[in-house]
């Protein structure tokens, strides 16, 4: 398991541990085999040191690599996989990507904006990944959209940008931030009088159900978002129940507790290691997970 230093939430690493736990305790899946995992934290800013750790993993007869998610580190692991697998086996045959890519997610937001017929939009993002996600929106052909304003945002300039939007009467806002940053943004917008039926927000974070909406519901907030994990699905409900028990037994954090108890999108990454390990168990391969299931 390869994770970027300070680049992943601790729950993602815990989900990886939980996935191996589920495999080893499944009476039917690999019943006569026990998987052993090793977790390495890779320095995001030092690709040389990170590459050495990855090479050490390969030397230990690793059968599968989970991660890393960081773009630069993932590119290196992908390059290493090209050099490791036999020449007669195409590397894409041993690589598995299960996630909605930036292009697909961007297309969903583009279609949504076109459906609403917005004439202007303010796009706020917090990271380079966020900017990559909204690139499709910036390049979209809408017809009705006349103005696009883009702002990089963090806790230090959040209120200033909200005041700017209020002054310029920008009422259509696409927000690409983490759950915590989104909560802070919406609270500041509430304080600025920008949570009302006349403002419309599109939230790109796929864990939108983990945001506590209690402070906004009485202001008739106009907020739209997408969700990948269906909390009413029987399989998801069973997983959540099992993970609650696992949390109590191990004291490891897995589930969202804000808003209401829910399963973060990134956690499904770890859970689906179960099926992947079973299918590719006798192959040396490298695979990268970002987000997984559409519900």
């Amino acid at each position: 398991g390869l994770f970027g230093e300070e680049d992943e939430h601790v729950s993602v690493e815990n989900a990886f541990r939980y996935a191996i736990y589920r495999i080893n305790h499944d009476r039917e899946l690999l019943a006569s085999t026990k998987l052993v995992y090793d977790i390495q934290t890779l320095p995001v800013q030092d690709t040389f040191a990170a590459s050495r750790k990855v090479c050490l993993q390969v030397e230990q007869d690793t059968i599968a690599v989970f991660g890393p998610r960081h773009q630069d580190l993932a590119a290196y692991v992908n390059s290493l996989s090209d050099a490791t697998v036999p020449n007669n086996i195409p590397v894409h045959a041993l690589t598995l990507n299960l996630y909605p890519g930036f292009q697909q997610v961007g297309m969903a937001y583009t279609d949504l904006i076109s459906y609403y017929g917005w004439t202007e939009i303010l796009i706020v993002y917090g990271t380079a990944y966020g900017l990559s996600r909204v690139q499709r929106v910036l390049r979209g052909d809408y017809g009705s959209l006349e103005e696009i304003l883009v702002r990089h945002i963090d806790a230090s300039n959040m209120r200033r940008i909200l005041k700017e939007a209020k002054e310029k009467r920008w009422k259509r806002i696409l927000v690409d931030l983490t759950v915590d940053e989104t909560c802070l943004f919406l609270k500041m917008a509430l304080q600025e009088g920008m949570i009302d039926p006349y403002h419309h927000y599109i939230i790109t974070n796929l864990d939108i159900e983990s945001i506590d909406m209690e402070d906004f519901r009485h202001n008739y907030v106009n907020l739209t978002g997408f969700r990948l994990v269906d909390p009413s699905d029987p399989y998801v409900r069973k997983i959540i129940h099992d993970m609650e028990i696992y949390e109590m037994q191990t004291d490891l954090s897995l589930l969202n507790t804000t808003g209401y108890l829910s399963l973060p999108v990134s956690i499904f990454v770890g859970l689906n290691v179960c099926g992947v390990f079973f299918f590719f168990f006798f192959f040396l391969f490298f695979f990268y997970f970002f987000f997984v299931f559409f519900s």
Side-chain angles (χ1 to χ4, degrees):
L2 304 178
F3 302 93
E5 192 175 83
E6 298 181 356
D7 190 53
E8 294 279 8
H9 193 277
V10 64
S11 61
V12 178
E13 182 178 320
N14 292 340
F16 177 75
R17 299 174 189 270
Y18 175 68
I20 306 302
Y21 168 84
R22 281 180 61 88
I23 295 173
N24 287 334
H25 287 77
D26 193 306
R27 296 182 179 180
E28 298 180 359
L29 184 64
L30 302 178
S32 60
T33 305
K34 181 178 181 180
L35 296 183
V36 178
Y37 66 84
D38 183 69
I39 292 177
Q40 293 292 332
T41 302
L42 307 181
V44 174
Q45 304 300 328
D46 189 345
T47 54
F48 177 74
S51 65
R52 292 192 63 182
K53 284 192 174 184
V54 175
C55 289
L56 288 174
Q57 295 301 306
V58 176
E59 291 175 359
Q60 295 177 19
D61 294 328
T62 301
I63 63 164
V65 175
F66 175 89
R69 180 179 176 182
H70 189 275
Q71 185 175 359
D72 295 338
L73 299 178
Y76 171 76
V77 176
N78 187 57
S79 176
L80 180 63
S81 68
D82 286 339
T84 304
V85 298
N87 293 330
N88 61 334
I89 300 178
V91 66
H92 62 78
L94 302 178
T95 303
L96 190 59
N97 296 277
L98 297 180
Y99 67 100
F102 292 158
Q103 292 297 319
Q104 288 78 12
V105 172
M107 186 184 301
Y109 297 127
T110 300
D111 291 345
L112 185 63
I113 293 169
S114 298
Y115 173 79
Y116 285 130
W118 285 7
T119 58
E120 87 280 340
I121 181 173
L122 168 63
I123 298 176
V124 297
Y125 70 96
T127 65
Y129 287 126
L131 183 59
S132 299
R133 278 190 291 268
V134 301
Q135 283 294 328
R136 175 91 187 192
V137 177
L138 294 173
R139 301 192 186 108
D141 183 14
Y142 303 95
S144 62
L145 194 61
E146 301 173 357
E147 295 182 274
I148 300 178
L149 186 67
V150 182
R151 291 289 184 270
H152 177 264
I153 201 169
D154 55 36
S156 64
N157 67 353
M158 194 174 290
R159 190 175 297 277
R160 176 172 58 80
I161 291 176
L162 280 168
K163 287 182 179 293
E164 178 188 4
K166 184 178 180 180
E167 180 182 344
K168 295 181 179 179
R169 298 187 178 183
W170 289 78
K171 297 182 179 180
R172 306 290 182 262
I173 304 175
L174 185 143
V175 182
D176 190 287
L177 299 170
T178 66
V179 170
D180 292 339
E181 291 171 335
T182 301
C183 292
L184 180 60
F185 181 86
L186 292 176
K187 287 181 179 179
M188 285 190 180
L190 179 64
Q191 294 169 358
E192 294 295 331
M194 299 173 64
I195 299 293
D196 55 37
Y198 306 105
H199 287 79
H200 192 170
Y201 299 87
I202 293 178
I203 306 298
T204 66
N205 194 292
L206 298 175
D207 285 320
I208 189 172
E209 73 273 10
S210 65
I211 298 174
D212 189 352
M213 296 293 178
E214 186 61 32
D215 293 335
F216 317 115
R217 59 187 300 185
H218 303 293
N219 292 67
Y220 301 99
V221 59
N222 201 357
L223 190 150
T224 304
F226 291 96
R227 181 173 63 194
L228 298 186
V229 181
D230 182 3
S232 63
D233 183 88
Y235 175 74
V236 175
R237 293 171 65 179
K238 181 181 184 304
I239 287 293
I240 290 178
H241 176 70
D242 292 343
M243 293 177 77
E244 281 188 279
I245 298 175
Y246 181 78
E247 282 186 326
M248 290 186 291
Q249 292 175 339
T250 62
D251 201 29
L252 296 177
S253 174
L254 292 169
L255 299 171
N256 278 327
T257 56
T258 56
Y260 62 88
L261 192 65
S262 59
L263 187 65
V265 170
S266 54
I267 291 299
F268 259 59
V269 170
L271 296 182
N272 285 276
V273 176
C274 299
V276 172
F277 267 118
F278 177 72
F279 189 74
F280 291 107
F281 184 74
F282 295 105
F283 294 92
L284 173 64
F285 73 101
F286 299 82
F287 61 93
Y288 319 101
F289 285 73
F290 294 84
F291 299 102
V292 181
F293 277 105
F294 284 98
S295 59

